[in-house]
Amino acid sequence: MAIVLPRVNLDEPRYDQSTYLNRAKHFLIVTNPLNAFATEEQLDRAARIVRDYRAGKPVPDVSSVDELWSAKYLYDSAFHPDTGEKMLLVGRMSAQVPMNMTITGCMMTFYKSTPAVIFWQWFNQSFNAVVNYTNRSGASPISQEQLLTSYCMATGGALVTALTLNRLVRNAPPLVGRLVPLAAVAAANCINIPLMRIQEIKNGVTLLDKDGKELGQSVRAAKEGISAVTFSRILMAMPGMVFTPVLMNTLEKRGFLRRFPWANAPIQTLFCGLCLTFATPLCCALFSQKASISVDSIEEELRTKLRKERPELDVVYYNKGL
């Protein structure tokens, strides 16, 4: 006989998202790298549990609320919150730490060689393009032409920044040179994220009331959400790309890297992974994924419409993406 579970709202995170600590707790679970190793069978089982529970059907696979939430968080780690589609593995937030630690470690290890700079900046922007497209807000279509344009401009921006700065800091202290990849990543994010989500900037994101009812589309909300995502992505990269150069510069001064040159790449990669394990969820938590915007701040036409139809509304919500 199936256990009857109490009703909980799976459309909202388990922890109240009005506080930073609860958002951090939420994203620590969502971005858990172990979720990236879940099998297709485990993901499909989690999806079935969540969908059956939402539909009021029995869920014999689950015997407690804790198990239900475990399934929900596994579901959230792999399925888009708006479309319900299974996301590409490398685009999921659970893949951020293992992917970024490898890419960042290599960018900072081989920052002096021009061919290596070109390859790793290209590789990083290819990865970022997949992540930004996968985590866009809603079912925002993007043409192949726009996809290619965004990818080329972000990659070009990163390469120009990295190669130009490498030339400028050629005679600077080693620590300054090691910080060049961070500047390139920041510049590329400022190009890549808005361009990969250009349809939201053109057409807006869907605004919802607190009960999830659609109210209309807002370009201003889209711009706020994309700006927040860009800021958090740059901040996410900073700990690994700032503290790692400081560590490596210290090891180089003390002669450690001269004695053990083979340790250069492994140390940078593992230390980046340690930083990203915490920086990823903590930076995602800076802004709630279900973002809010004042009715007074949205477009005049939509604001007038809502004031007439829903005068009690002061704040509306939207998915800002990740």
Side-chain angles (χ1 to χ4, degrees):
M1 180 178 177
I3 296 175
V4 178
L5 296 172
R7 298 306 300 175
V8 296
N9 185 6
L10 293 185
D11 293 325
E12 298 290 338
R14 185 175 190 178
Y15 308 104
D16 176 18
Q17 298 293 282
S18 63
T19 69
Y20 176 75
L21 287 178
N22 278 346
R23 290 198 299 273
K25 190 186 298 184
H26 168 75
F27 282 110
L28 274 168
I29 300 172
V30 171
T31 62
N32 183 351
L34 295 177
N35 288 337
F37 299 99
T39 65
E40 293 297 306
E41 183 181 355
Q42 289 172 318
L43 293 176
D44 291 341
R45 174 182 176 274
R48 186 181 69 253
I49 289 171
V50 170
R51 289 164 184 162
D52 285 351
Y53 182 83
R54 279 175 170 162
K57 298 178 181 178
V59 280
D61 295 14
V62 175
S63 59
S64 68
V65 172
D66 286 340
E67 287 185 27
L68 177 65
W69 277 113
S70 292
K72 175 60 164 57
Y73 272 112
L74 184 58
Y75 172 83
D76 286 345
S77 75
F79 294 84
H80 195 280
D82 290 338
T83 66
E85 295 176 353
K86 188 180 291 182
M87 296 183 287
L88 292 169
L89 177 59
V90 295
R92 299 172 193 170
M93 294 310 291
S94 56
Q96 288 293 291
V97 172
M99 289 296 296
N100 272 323
M101 67 180 280
T102 303
I103 296 170
T104 305
C106 290
M107 280 196 296
M108 291 192 297
T109 300
F110 308 111
Y111 70 95
K112 291 182 179 179
S113 163
T114 297
V117 168
I118 293 173
F119 175 78
W120 286 109
Q121 289 295 341
W122 164 78
F123 194 93
N124 185 46
Q125 291 316 310
S126 299
F127 170 66
N128 283 342
V130 173
V131 173
N132 294 333
Y133 179 77
T134 302
N135 292 282
R136 68 199 185 281
S137 175
S140 303
I142 181 169
S143 66
Q144 290 185 350
E145 181 183 359
Q146 185 60 52
L147 195 64
L148 182 61
T149 301
S150 304
Y151 171 71
C152 290
M153 289 187 69
T155 305
L159 287 174
V160 168
T161 303
L163 295 174
T164 302
L165 289 178
N166 268 347
R167 190 176 299 113
L168 292 174
V169 303
R170 188 172 296 162
N171 299 319
L175 179 58
V176 176
R178 291 182 188 274
L179 293 173
V180 167
L182 173 60
V185 167
N189 272 325
C190 291
I191 300 169
N192 198 331
I193 296 173
L195 284 175
M196 290 300 292
R197 295 173 60 175
I198 193 68
Q199 293 304 318
E200 295 171 44
I201 296 175
K202 288 181 178 179
N203 304 320
V205 290
T206 302
L207 298 181
L208 310 167
D209 63 15
K210 64 179 181 180
D211 298 318
K213 182 180 178 182
E214 295 188 8
L215 303 170
Q217 303 293 118
S218 172
V219 170
R220 289 185 185 175
K223 290 179 179 178
E224 280 194 14
I226 291 170
S227 297
V229 169
T230 303
F231 176 75
S232 63
R233 289 284 189 85
I234 293 173
L235 211 59
M236 194 185 297
M238 286 182 68
M241 301 188 84
V242 172
F243 295 141
T244 305
V246 172
L247 171 66
M248 301 310 293
N249 197 54
T250 302
L251 294 176
E252 190 170 43
K253 284 181 176 179
R254 295 185 177 182
F256 180 85
L257 294 180
R258 284 195 298 274
R259 293 196 302 273
F260 307 102
W262 57 267
N264 193 0
I267 290 175
Q268 294 203 72
T269 302
L270 292 173
F271 190 75
C272 281
L274 177 64
C275 292
L276 285 166
T277 298
F278 298 98
T280 300
L282 294 180
C283 290
C284 284
L286 289 173
F287 307 98
S288 178
Q289 186 170 358
K290 184 180 179 181
S292 62
I293 185 171
S294 168
V295 172
D296 292 332
S297 300
I298 61 179
E299 293 83 344
E300 182 178 356
E301 183 179 351
L302 181 57
R303 180 172 67 245
T304 301
K305 175 175 176 287
L306 292 180
R307 288 295 185 211
K308 182 178 179 180
E309 297 176 358
R310 302 285 298 274
E312 79 282 1
L313 283 178
D314 292 319
V315 175
V316 289
Y317 303 90
Y318 63 97
N319 174 25
K320 73 168 181 61
L322 290 173

